[in-house]
Amino acid sequence: MDPVNAVLRVCRSGLDVTELQRQVLAALRRGMTIDAAFFATADPETLLFTGAHSEDPLIAMTPLFLDNELSRRDVNTFPELVRAPGHVRSLDTATRSAWGESPRYRDIMRPIGLGDELRAALVVGGHCWGYLCLHREDGALGFTAAEADVVRRLAPHIAEALRQAILLHRPVAEGERRPGVVVLDERMELVASTPEADALLPLIGHGSSRLPLPVSVYSVAAALTTADHPPTLRVRAIDGGWLSLHASHLGAQIAVVVAPAEPQSTLGVLLAAHGLTPRELDIARHVLRGDSTKAIAGTLHISAHTVQDHLKSVFDKVGVRSRRDLVGRLLAGG
């Protein structure tokens, strides 16, 4: 089976995120040289990493990669690719073959023997569900235009598979879980964590047993460097529930609060995961606020009939039959 069809088959298999990441990378390697890879999931509203599969020699450099990614001082960043046409670009293309102009290449990749990278923002339906970064050894030829086209063709299918994975597991009944705190120093090294945090962190999953903390913890902490407000993200736990992560400064250190997510905080992610269009998202949010059809029509400047048509589509996509069922399903986390 050729690599494109192999990836498409993986994407249609209904796999969980961990197995999807493993099999997609294995299928891609059938058609191109990949010396190291980073495959992350993302919060579609904040665009921060919620988890990642990372390979050597990238793993040890995770804090440096996150700092570079969120500093907004480099080329070909993932948020930039979310907005770019096609959502895929190599470092070679972004720098016009002048790799040394990229601090990421100069200060992180070259010292560990890596050269060109091919990056993709995994976008479908206007929402980004993850990121893919494929690396070549330094000194090797860069990624070709044909290889970039293959990834560009496959990226929406991989994004759709990630979106579907959000809906694979329903939340399970859980005992009382209390918020916990993780403290990091300025080098992103673990200083301390509370017992409550120690109980919650295993539910996130690491992506690599070599990292002391999940990538999502580093991601929200690193976002403090450029955020106007304390950053936050939502992470699907391995038991099907949701956790929220909030980062803030604690003197010279960084505190990350890990807590069970309030149902309302996950509504945007769940609505997007069900494949709603932007207009359907608007209407669903009004319904969740308790607005009437007439009020929604007036606010959005559309007819009541149009509101009902959109609402019927929302019900079909979420798998419910009424406003009450819609609210119940989403507040239950599914």
mmCIF file of all heavy atoms in Angstrom, residues 44-45 127 234 264 266-272 276-291 296 300 311 314 323 326-327 330:
data_model
loop_
_atom_site.group_PDB
_atom_site.id
_atom_site.type_symbol
_atom_site.label_atom_id
_atom_site.label_comp_id
_atom_site.label_asym_id
_atom_site.label_seq_id
_atom_site.Cartn_x
_atom_site.Cartn_y
_atom_site.Cartn_z
ATOM 1 N N PRO A 44 -8.150 23.865 20.003
ATOM 2 C CA PRO A 44 -8.499 24.649 18.816
ATOM 3 C C PRO A 44 -8.850 26.107 19.114
ATOM 4 O O PRO A 44 -8.871 26.924 18.197
ATOM 5 C CB PRO A 44 -9.712 23.905 18.236
ATOM 6 C CG PRO A 44 -10.286 23.167 19.393
ATOM 7 C CD PRO A 44 -9.119 22.787 20.256
ATOM 8 N N GLU A 45 -9.094 26.447 20.369
ATOM 9 C CA GLU A 45 -9.409 27.834 20.702
ATOM 10 C C GLU A 45 -8.179 28.641 21.092
ATOM 11 O O GLU A 45 -8.071 29.813 20.740
ATOM 12 C CB GLU A 45 -10.458 27.873 21.816
ATOM 13 C CG GLU A 45 -11.799 27.312 21.375
ATOM 14 C CD GLU A 45 -12.893 27.502 22.397
ATOM 15 O OE1 GLU A 45 -12.581 27.586 23.596
ATOM 16 O OE2 GLU A 45 -14.064 27.568 21.990
ATOM 17 N N HIS A 127 -10.793 24.791 12.146
ATOM 18 C CA HIS A 127 -10.256 24.578 13.495
ATOM 19 C C HIS A 127 -8.967 23.769 13.417
ATOM 20 O O HIS A 127 -8.863 22.813 12.644
ATOM 21 C CB HIS A 127 -11.259 23.840 14.380
ATOM 22 C CG HIS A 127 -12.547 24.581 14.579
ATOM 23 N ND1 HIS A 127 -12.668 25.642 15.450
ATOM 24 C CD2 HIS A 127 -13.762 24.423 14.008
ATOM 25 C CE1 HIS A 127 -13.917 26.096 15.419
ATOM 26 N NE2 HIS A 127 -14.586 25.376 14.540
ATOM 27 N N ARG A 234 -7.608 23.397 27.776
ATOM 28 C CA ARG A 234 -8.380 22.234 28.199
ATOM 29 C C ARG A 234 -7.767 20.980 27.585
ATOM 30 O O ARG A 234 -7.407 20.991 26.416
ATOM 31 C CB ARG A 234 -9.837 22.343 27.732
ATOM 32 C CG ARG A 234 -10.664 23.378 28.460
ATOM 33 C CD ARG A 234 -10.281 24.821 28.093
ATOM 34 N NE ARG A 234 -10.047 25.039 26.681
ATOM 35 C CZ ARG A 234 -11.007 25.358 25.804
ATOM 36 N NH1 ARG A 234 -12.234 25.515 26.235
ATOM 37 N NH2 ARG A 234 -10.726 25.561 24.532
ATOM 38 N N GLN A 264 -18.774 24.148 31.333
ATOM 39 C CA GLN A 264 -18.929 25.275 30.406
ATOM 40 C C GLN A 264 -17.638 25.585 29.657
ATOM 41 O O GLN A 264 -17.673 26.076 28.529
ATOM 42 C CB GLN A 264 -19.395 26.523 31.170
ATOM 43 C CG GLN A 264 -20.811 26.429 31.727
ATOM 44 C CD GLN A 264 -20.870 25.695 33.059
ATOM 45 O OE1 GLN A 264 -19.882 25.129 33.519
ATOM 46 N NE2 GLN A 264 -22.038 25.701 33.681
ATOM 47 N N THR A 266 -15.507 23.601 28.359
ATOM 48 C CA THR A 266 -15.196 22.675 27.268
ATOM 49 C C THR A 266 -16.192 22.765 26.114
ATOM 50 O O THR A 266 -16.039 22.060 25.116
ATOM 51 C CB THR A 266 -15.176 21.224 27.778
ATOM 52 O OG1 THR A 266 -16.489 20.851 28.224
ATOM 53 C CG2 THR A 266 -14.191 21.061 28.924
ATOM 54 N N LEU A 267 -17.195 23.629 26.238
ATOM 55 C CA LEU A 267 -18.252 23.660 25.229
ATOM 56 C C LEU A 267 -17.723 24.007 23.847
ATOM 57 O O LEU A 267 -18.121 23.405 22.850
ATOM 58 C CB LEU A 267 -19.333 24.661 25.647
ATOM 59 C CG LEU A 267 -20.138 24.290 26.895
ATOM 60 C CD1 LEU A 267 -21.146 25.380 27.221
ATOM 61 C CD2 LEU A 267 -20.849 22.953 26.702
ATOM 62 N N GLY A 268 -16.821 25.003 23.775
ATOM 63 C CA GLY A 268 -16.302 25.403 22.474
ATOM 64 C C GLY A 268 -15.569 24.277 21.773
ATOM 65 O O GLY A 268 -15.741 24.048 20.570
ATOM 66 N N VAL A 269 -14.729 23.541 22.522
ATOM 67 C CA VAL A 269 -13.979 22.430 21.939
ATOM 68 C C VAL A 269 -14.922 21.328 21.477
ATOM 69 O O VAL A 269 -14.784 20.778 20.379
ATOM 70 C CB VAL A 269 -12.975 21.872 22.966
ATOM 71 C CG1 VAL A 269 -12.252 20.663 22.396
ATOM 72 C CG2 VAL A 269 -11.967 22.941 23.357
ATOM 73 N N LEU A 270 -15.918 20.998 22.307
ATOM 74 C CA LEU A 270 -16.843 19.920 21.955
ATOM 75 C C LEU A 270 -17.691 20.280 20.742
ATOM 76 O O LEU A 270 -17.923 19.447 19.861
ATOM 77 C CB LEU A 270 -17.745 19.595 23.149
ATOM 78 C CG LEU A 270 -17.059 18.851 24.300
ATOM 79 C CD1 LEU A 270 -17.983 18.762 25.491
ATOM 80 C CD2 LEU A 270 -16.626 17.457 23.861
ATOM 81 N N LEU A 271 -18.170 21.523 20.687
ATOM 82 C CA LEU A 271 -18.972 21.936 19.537
ATOM 83 C C LEU A 271 -18.148 21.854 18.253
ATOM 84 O O LEU A 271 -18.625 21.377 17.223
ATOM 85 C CB LEU A 271 -19.504 23.358 19.746
ATOM 86 C CG LEU A 271 -20.617 23.504 20.781
ATOM 87 C CD1 LEU A 271 -20.866 24.976 21.092
ATOM 88 C CD2 LEU A 271 -21.900 22.850 20.304
ATOM 89 N N ALA A 272 -16.910 22.319 18.327
ATOM 90 C CA ALA A 272 -16.042 22.237 17.150
ATOM 91 C C ALA A 272 -15.763 20.784 16.779
ATOM 92 O O ALA A 272 -15.719 20.423 15.603
ATOM 93 C CB ALA A 272 -14.739 22.982 17.418
ATOM 94 N N LEU A 276 -19.383 21.419 13.671
ATOM 95 C CA LEU A 276 -20.321 22.505 13.393
ATOM 96 C C LEU A 276 -19.652 23.593 12.555
ATOM 97 O O LEU A 276 -18.457 23.878 12.711
ATOM 98 C CB LEU A 276 -20.837 23.123 14.700
ATOM 99 C CG LEU A 276 -22.068 22.450 15.328
ATOM 100 C CD1 LEU A 276 -21.784 21.005 15.698
ATOM 101 C CD2 LEU A 276 -22.518 23.223 16.576
ATOM 102 N N THR A 277 -20.436 24.204 11.667
ATOM 103 C CA THR A 277 -19.950 25.339 10.898
ATOM 104 C C THR A 277 -19.883 26.570 11.806
ATOM 105 O O THR A 277 -20.477 26.579 12.898
ATOM 106 C CB THR A 277 -20.882 25.646 9.721
ATOM 107 O OG1 THR A 277 -22.152 26.105 10.240
ATOM 108 C CG2 THR A 277 -21.095 24.417 8.848
ATOM 109 N N PRO A 278 -19.190 27.646 11.384
ATOM 110 C CA PRO A 278 -19.136 28.856 12.214
ATOM 111 C C PRO A 278 -20.525 29.382 12.581
ATOM 112 O O PRO A 278 -20.756 29.795 13.726
ATOM 113 C CB PRO A 278 -18.357 29.846 11.341
ATOM 114 C CG PRO A 278 -17.454 28.974 10.521
ATOM 115 C CD PRO A 278 -18.274 27.753 10.223
ATOM 116 N N ARG A 279 -21.470 29.377 11.640
ATOM 117 C CA ARG A 279 -22.816 29.865 11.945
ATOM 118 C C ARG A 279 -23.529 28.927 12.923
ATOM 119 O O ARG A 279 -24.223 29.377 13.835
ATOM 120 C CB ARG A 279 -23.632 30.010 10.661
ATOM 121 C CG ARG A 279 -25.075 30.464 10.889
ATOM 122 C CD ARG A 279 -25.121 31.803 11.634
ATOM 123 N NE ARG A 279 -24.993 32.916 10.706
ATOM 124 C CZ ARG A 279 -24.827 34.176 11.096
ATOM 125 N NH1 ARG A 279 -24.738 34.472 12.384
ATOM 126 N NH2 ARG A 279 -24.723 35.138 10.215
ATOM 127 N N GLU A 280 -23.346 27.626 12.742
ATOM 128 C CA GLU A 280 -23.950 26.674 13.673
ATOM 129 C C GLU A 280 -23.353 26.817 15.070
ATOM 130 O O GLU A 280 -24.061 26.677 16.075
ATOM 131 C CB GLU A 280 -23.750 25.247 13.150
ATOM 132 C CG GLU A 280 -24.596 24.942 11.908
ATOM 133 C CD GLU A 280 -24.171 23.664 11.212
ATOM 134 O OE1 GLU A 280 -23.153 23.063 11.616
ATOM 135 O OE2 GLU A 280 -24.860 23.261 10.247
ATOM 136 N N LEU A 281 -22.054 27.116 15.137
ATOM 137 C CA LEU A 281 -21.428 27.358 16.437
ATOM 138 C C LEU A 281 -22.057 28.558 17.131
ATOM 139 O O LEU A 281 -22.342 28.523 18.338
ATOM 140 C CB LEU A 281 -19.924 27.584 16.255
ATOM 141 C CG LEU A 281 -19.059 26.356 16.008
ATOM 142 C CD1 LEU A 281 -17.656 26.765 15.580
ATOM 143 C CD2 LEU A 281 -18.983 25.498 17.254
ATOM 144 N N ASP A 282 -22.285 29.637 16.365
ATOM 145 C CA ASP A 282 -22.925 30.829 16.938
ATOM 146 C C ASP A 282 -24.293 30.485 17.519
ATOM 147 O O ASP A 282 -24.628 30.880 18.647
ATOM 148 C CB ASP A 282 -23.092 31.910 15.861
ATOM 149 C CG ASP A 282 -21.772 32.547 15.468
ATOM 150 O OD1 ASP A 282 -20.817 32.454 16.261
ATOM 151 O OD2 ASP A 282 -21.699 33.131 14.372
ATOM 152 N N ILE A 283 -25.086 29.763 16.747
ATOM 153 C CA ILE A 283 -26.441 29.438 17.179
ATOM 154 C C ILE A 283 -26.415 28.496 18.378
ATOM 155 O O ILE A 283 -27.171 28.664 19.342
ATOM 156 C CB ILE A 283 -27.235 28.838 16.006
ATOM 157 C CG1 ILE A 283 -27.534 29.946 14.980
ATOM 158 C CG2 ILE A 283 -28.525 28.167 16.480
ATOM 159 C CD1 ILE A 283 -28.162 29.461 13.704
ATOM 160 N N ALA A 284 -25.529 27.505 18.358
ATOM 161 C CA ALA A 284 -25.440 26.567 19.482
ATOM 162 C C ALA A 284 -25.058 27.286 20.764
ATOM 163 O O ALA A 284 -25.603 26.994 21.842
ATOM 164 C CB ALA A 284 -24.428 25.470 19.171
ATOM 165 N N ARG A 285 -24.153 28.248 20.679
ATOM 166 C CA ARG A 285 -23.753 28.990 21.877
ATOM 167 C C ARG A 285 -24.923 29.799 22.425
ATOM 168 O O ARG A 285 -25.097 29.914 23.643
ATOM 169 C CB ARG A 285 -22.561 29.888 21.559
ATOM 170 C CG ARG A 285 -21.259 29.123 21.317
ATOM 171 C CD ARG A 285 -20.067 30.065 21.231
ATOM 172 N NE ARG A 285 -18.819 29.340 21.050
ATOM 173 C CZ ARG A 285 -18.164 29.236 19.903
ATOM 174 N NH1 ARG A 285 -18.642 29.828 18.816
ATOM 175 N NH2 ARG A 285 -17.033 28.569 19.828
ATOM 176 N N HIS A 286 -25.732 30.375 21.536
ATOM 177 C CA HIS A 286 -26.919 31.110 21.997
ATOM 178 C C HIS A 286 -27.913 30.168 22.672
ATOM 179 O O HIS A 286 -28.520 30.519 23.698
ATOM 180 C CB HIS A 286 -27.576 31.829 20.815
ATOM 181 C CG HIS A 286 -26.899 33.105 20.436
ATOM 182 N ND1 HIS A 286 -27.022 34.258 21.183
ATOM 183 C CD2 HIS A 286 -26.101 33.413 19.383
ATOM 184 C CE1 HIS A 286 -26.319 35.233 20.612
ATOM 185 N NE2 HIS A 286 -25.743 34.747 19.519
ATOM 186 N N VAL A 287 -28.070 28.979 22.107
ATOM 187 C CA VAL A 287 -28.985 28.002 22.710
ATOM 188 C C VAL A 287 -28.505 27.613 24.100
ATOM 189 O O VAL A 287 -29.293 27.513 25.045
ATOM 190 C CB VAL A 287 -29.101 26.753 21.805
ATOM 191 C CG1 VAL A 287 -29.828 25.622 22.542
ATOM 192 C CG2 VAL A 287 -29.842 27.099 20.524
ATOM 193 N N LEU A 288 -27.204 27.423 24.234
ATOM 194 C CA LEU A 288 -26.651 27.041 25.531
ATOM 195 C C LEU A 288 -26.792 28.153 26.565
ATOM 196 O O LEU A 288 -26.791 27.890 27.767
ATOM 197 C CB LEU A 288 -25.180 26.655 25.374
ATOM 198 C CG LEU A 288 -24.925 25.376 24.566
ATOM 199 C CD1 LEU A 288 -23.455 25.216 24.245
ATOM 200 C CD2 LEU A 288 -25.432 24.155 25.317
ATOM 201 N N ARG A 289 -26.948 29.388 26.078
ATOM 202 C CA ARG A 289 -27.202 30.506 26.998
ATOM 203 C C ARG A 289 -28.688 30.655 27.312
ATOM 204 O O ARG A 289 -29.076 31.509 28.099
ATOM 205 C CB ARG A 289 -26.661 31.815 26.407
ATOM 206 C CG ARG A 289 -25.156 31.916 26.401
ATOM 207 C CD ARG A 289 -24.698 33.352 26.232
ATOM 208 N NE ARG A 289 -25.007 33.891 24.923
ATOM 209 C CZ ARG A 289 -24.135 33.905 23.903
ATOM 210 N NH1 ARG A 289 -22.923 33.408 24.064
ATOM 211 N NH2 ARG A 289 -24.480 34.424 22.749
ATOM 212 N N GLY A 290 -29.510 29.843 26.644
ATOM 213 C CA GLY A 290 -30.937 29.886 26.900
ATOM 214 C C GLY A 290 -31.713 30.868 26.044
ATOM 215 O O GLY A 290 -32.882 31.147 26.318
ATOM 216 N N ASP A 291 -31.114 31.389 24.966
ATOM 217 C CA ASP A 291 -31.793 32.364 24.110
ATOM 218 C C ASP A 291 -32.877 31.692 23.266
ATOM 219 O O ASP A 291 -32.706 30.558 22.800
ATOM 220 C CB ASP A 291 -30.786 33.048 23.178
ATOM 221 C CG ASP A 291 -29.774 33.902 23.941
ATOM 222 O OD1 ASP A 291 -30.035 34.184 25.127
ATOM 223 O OD2 ASP A 291 -28.750 34.277 23.348
ATOM 224 N N ILE A 296 -32.294 34.822 19.017
ATOM 225 C CA ILE A 296 -31.137 34.452 18.198
ATOM 226 C C ILE A 296 -31.231 35.091 16.819
ATOM 227 O O ILE A 296 -30.256 35.643 16.300
ATOM 228 C CB ILE A 296 -31.034 32.919 18.071
ATOM 229 C CG1 ILE A 296 -30.818 32.277 19.442
ATOM 230 C CG2 ILE A 296 -29.896 32.536 17.118
ATOM 231 C CD1 ILE A 296 -30.898 30.764 19.433
ATOM 232 N N LEU A 300 -28.412 37.717 15.382
ATOM 233 C CA LEU A 300 -27.585 37.329 14.233
ATOM 234 C C LEU A 300 -28.089 37.911 12.917
ATOM 235 O O LEU A 300 -27.482 37.682 11.868
ATOM 236 C CB LEU A 300 -27.527 35.802 14.135
ATOM 237 C CG LEU A 300 -26.932 35.070 15.350
ATOM 238 C CD1 LEU A 300 -26.918 33.563 15.117
ATOM 239 C CD2 LEU A 300 -25.513 35.565 15.637
ATOM 240 N N LEU A 311 -30.336 24.951 13.499
ATOM 241 C CA LEU A 311 -30.469 24.200 14.741
ATOM 242 C C LEU A 311 -30.718 22.715 14.461
ATOM 243 O O LEU A 311 -30.193 21.840 15.159
ATOM 244 C CB LEU A 311 -31.594 24.794 15.585
ATOM 245 C CG LEU A 311 -31.635 24.402 17.063
ATOM 246 C CD1 LEU A 311 -30.287 24.642 17.724
ATOM 247 C CD2 LEU A 311 -32.716 25.189 17.769
ATOM 248 N N VAL A 314 -27.467 21.240 13.737
ATOM 249 C CA VAL A 314 -26.711 21.076 14.985
ATOM 250 C C VAL A 314 -27.158 19.808 15.696
ATOM 251 O O VAL A 314 -26.338 18.991 16.138
ATOM 252 C CB VAL A 314 -26.893 22.300 15.903
ATOM 253 C CG1 VAL A 314 -26.308 22.020 17.291
ATOM 254 C CG2 VAL A 314 -26.233 23.526 15.295
ATOM 255 N N ARG A 323 -33.321 20.994 22.215
ATOM 256 C CA ARG A 323 -32.409 21.909 22.895
ATOM 257 C C ARG A 323 -31.981 21.334 24.242
ATOM 258 O O ARG A 323 -30.815 21.435 24.632
ATOM 259 C CB ARG A 323 -33.108 23.266 23.124
ATOM 260 C CG ARG A 323 -33.362 24.050 21.841
ATOM 261 C CD ARG A 323 -34.160 25.305 22.179
ATOM 262 N NE ARG A 323 -34.408 26.116 20.999
ATOM 263 C CZ ARG A 323 -34.029 27.387 20.858
ATOM 264 N NH1 ARG A 323 -33.409 27.987 21.846
ATOM 265 N NH2 ARG A 323 -34.296 28.043 19.764
ATOM 266 N N LEU A 326 -29.394 18.752 23.784
ATOM 267 C CA LEU A 326 -28.136 19.368 23.382
ATOM 268 C C LEU A 326 -27.377 19.883 24.599
ATOM 269 O O LEU A 326 -26.179 19.610 24.762
ATOM 270 C CB LEU A 326 -28.407 20.512 22.397
ATOM 271 C CG LEU A 326 -27.169 21.320 21.960
ATOM 272 C CD1 LEU A 326 -26.231 20.454 21.116
ATOM 273 C CD2 LEU A 326 -27.592 22.565 21.179
ATOM 274 N N VAL A 327 -28.075 20.616 25.445
ATOM 275 C CA VAL A 327 -27.444 21.164 26.640
ATOM 276 C C VAL A 327 -26.957 20.035 27.542
ATOM 277 O O VAL A 327 -25.825 20.063 28.037
ATOM 278 C CB VAL A 327 -28.431 22.077 27.397
ATOM 279 C CG1 VAL A 327 -27.828 22.521 28.722
ATOM 280 C CG2 VAL A 327 -28.793 23.295 26.551
ATOM 281 N N LEU A 330 -23.737 18.241 26.052
ATOM 282 C CA LEU A 330 -22.518 19.024 26.103
ATOM 283 C C LEU A 330 -22.053 19.304 27.526
ATOM 284 O O LEU A 330 -20.849 19.289 27.812
ATOM 285 C CB LEU A 330 -22.695 20.336 25.339
ATOM 286 C CG LEU A 330 -22.918 20.144 23.832
ATOM 287 C CD1 LEU A 330 -23.264 21.449 23.165
ATOM 288 C CD2 LEU A 330 -21.665 19.532 23.172
#
